[in-house]
C-alpha cells in the first residue's frame, strides 16, 4: 500500500490538496517551524497564537513528549517496532530517527491521510540499512486497513508501540474509543500505547479560546478530561506507566528539552510571532501554559 500511495501521479495528488482550508497536520507544521504549509494554515496558527500567546508550548511539549517516550521505549524497554498514526509532516527527529539512533534495526510504520503529508512521505522513508520504515496513506478511522498494511513491515508476534500523538482530539467519541480498542486488541502482549491529548482541565480559558479559532475553520476539536483520556487505556486493560496521565511537561521531563539554536537579535526582530516560535526555549514552561495530557501504557 505504501508503494502504491507513493507512486501516485503528482497531478492527481495535487487535486487532493485543498489549499483553501486549514488542515491540522499543516497547522502543526507551522508551529514546528516547517515549510510544508499554506497561507490558510499560517493564518489558522496565527489566530490560535493570538488567542493563547503561550500556546506554542502545547505543540512543542507535545512533540518533546513523543521524543522522550520513544527514547524510553527504545533505550529502556527494548521496543523495536512502532506504528505512528497521525504522523503529520516530516520534521526534525521523526520516530524512526529517534528509535534507530538507539536501536538501528527498529522498524517504523507511519500513517496519515493528508495528501500534503503523502507528498512529502519519502522523507519519512530514510531508514538506516538495519531497520525499515513504511508509509500508509489511510484514515485513522480505518483500523483494519491500517493493520493489514502495517503487517507487511511489522511483526505482530512481537511487541509494537502504538503512537497516537495529538490525534485523538480530532476524533469524536463514537469513533475514537472503538478504533483505539481495535488497534490495541490487534497488538501482542508487551506492546505499548503512547498518546497525548488536549484537555480543558488545566487552563480552560486558554484552550477554549484556541478551540474556537479551530472550530470556526471546520476542525473537529474534542477536549477530553483526565478520566476520558485514561479511558483509552482502561478499555483495553492496559497498565499505565508512571507517572500516569499527567500534563505533558510532567511526563519524565527531568532532563528538560533540547535548547533551540541561538539566533541573532536583529534576525529575530524581523520575524513574525509564528516564525519566532521555533526559536523559543520551552524549558521555561509553567503549569499555567500546558493543556496537553500525556501517558504511556503496557498491554498485559
Amino acid at each position: 500500500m505504501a508503494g502504491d500511495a507513493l507512486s501516485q501521479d503528482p497531478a492527481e495528488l495535487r487535486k487532493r490538496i485543498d489549499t483553501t482550508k486549514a488542515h491540522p497536520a499543516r497547522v502543526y507544521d507551522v508551529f514546528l517551524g516547517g515549510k510544508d504549509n499554506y497561507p490558510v494554515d499560517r493564518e489558522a496558527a496565527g489566530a490560535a497564537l493570538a488567542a493563547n500567546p503561550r500556546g506554542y508550548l502545547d505543540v512543542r511539549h507535545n512533540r518533546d513528549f513523543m521524543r522522550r517516550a520513544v527514547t524510553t521505549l527504545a533505550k529502556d524497554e527494548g521496543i523495536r517496532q512502532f506504528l505512528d498514526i497521525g504522523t503529520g509532516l516530516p520534521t526534525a527527529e521523526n520516530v524512526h530517527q529517534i528509535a534507530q539512533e538507539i536501536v538501528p534495526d527498529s522498524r517504523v510504520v507511519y500513517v496519515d491521510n493528508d495528501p500534503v503529508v503523502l507528498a512529502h512521505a519519502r522523507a519519512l522513508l530514510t531508514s538506516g540499512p538495519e531497520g525499515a520504515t513504511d508509509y500508509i496513506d489511510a484514515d485513522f478511522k480505518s483500523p483494519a486497513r491500517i493493520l493489514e498494511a502495517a503487517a507487511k513491515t511489522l511483526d505482530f508476534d512481537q511487541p509494537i508501540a502504538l503512537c497516537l500523538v495529538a490525534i485523538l482530539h480530532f476524533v469524536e467519541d463514537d469513533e475514537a474509543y472503538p478504533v483505539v480498542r481495535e488497534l490495541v486488541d490487534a497488538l501482542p502482549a508487551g506492546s505499548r500505547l503512547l498518546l497525548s491529548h488536549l484537555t480543558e482541565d488545566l487552563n480552560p480559558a486558554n484552550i477554549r479560546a484556541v478551540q474556537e479559532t479551530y472550530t470556526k475553520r471546520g476542525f473537529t476539536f474534542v477536549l477530553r478530561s483526565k478520566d476520558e483520556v485514561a479511558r483509552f487505556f482502561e478499555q483495553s486493560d492496559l497498565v499505565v506507566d508512571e507517572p500516569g496521565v499527567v500534563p505533558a511537561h510532567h511526563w519524565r521531563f527531568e532532563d528538560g528539552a533540547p535548547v533551540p539554536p541561538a539566533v541573532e537579535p536583529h534576525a529575530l526582530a524581523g520575524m513574525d510571532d509564528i516564525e519566532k516560535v521555533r526559536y523559543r526555549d520551552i524549558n521555561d514552561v509553567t503549569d499555567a501554559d500546558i493543556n496537553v495530557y500525556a501517558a504511556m501504557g503496557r498491554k498485559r
Side-chain angles (χ1 to χ4, degrees), residues 151-195:
K152 298 175 183 178
T153 301
L154 305 179
D155 179 357
F156 277 74
D157 291 327
Q158 298 297 321
I160 295 168
L162 172 62
C163 307
L164 301 176
V165 179
I167 180 177
L168 294 172
H169 43 252
F170 297 116
V171 187
E172 297 286 0
D173 284 357
D174 61 347
E175 292 179 301
Y177 289 105
V179 170
V180 173
R181 179 70 177 266
E182 184 171 345
L183 290 167
V184 172
D185 283 353
L187 304 179
S191 292
R192 311 306 282 263
L193 170 63
L194 66 96
L195 67 80

Side-chain angles (χ1 to χ4, degrees), residues 72-128:
T72 296
L73 291 176
K75 185 177 180 180
D76 301 331
E77 306 289 341
I79 298 294
R80 287 167 164 74
Q81 301 190 107
F82 298 83
L83 177 56
D84 181 8
I85 302 178
T87 299
L89 285 148
T91 186
E93 289 199 303
N94 299 295
V95 170
H96 74 282
Q97 293 163 326
I98 299 166
Q100 289 183 355
E101 184 174 346
I102 300 165
V103 183
D105 64 350
S106 295
R107 306 175 75 82
V108 179
V109 172
Y110 295 106
V111 183
D112 211 300
N113 70 331
D114 179 8
V116 175
V117 178
L118 174 58
H120 295 274
R122 286 182 177 81
L124 296 169
L125 305 181
T126 55
S127 172

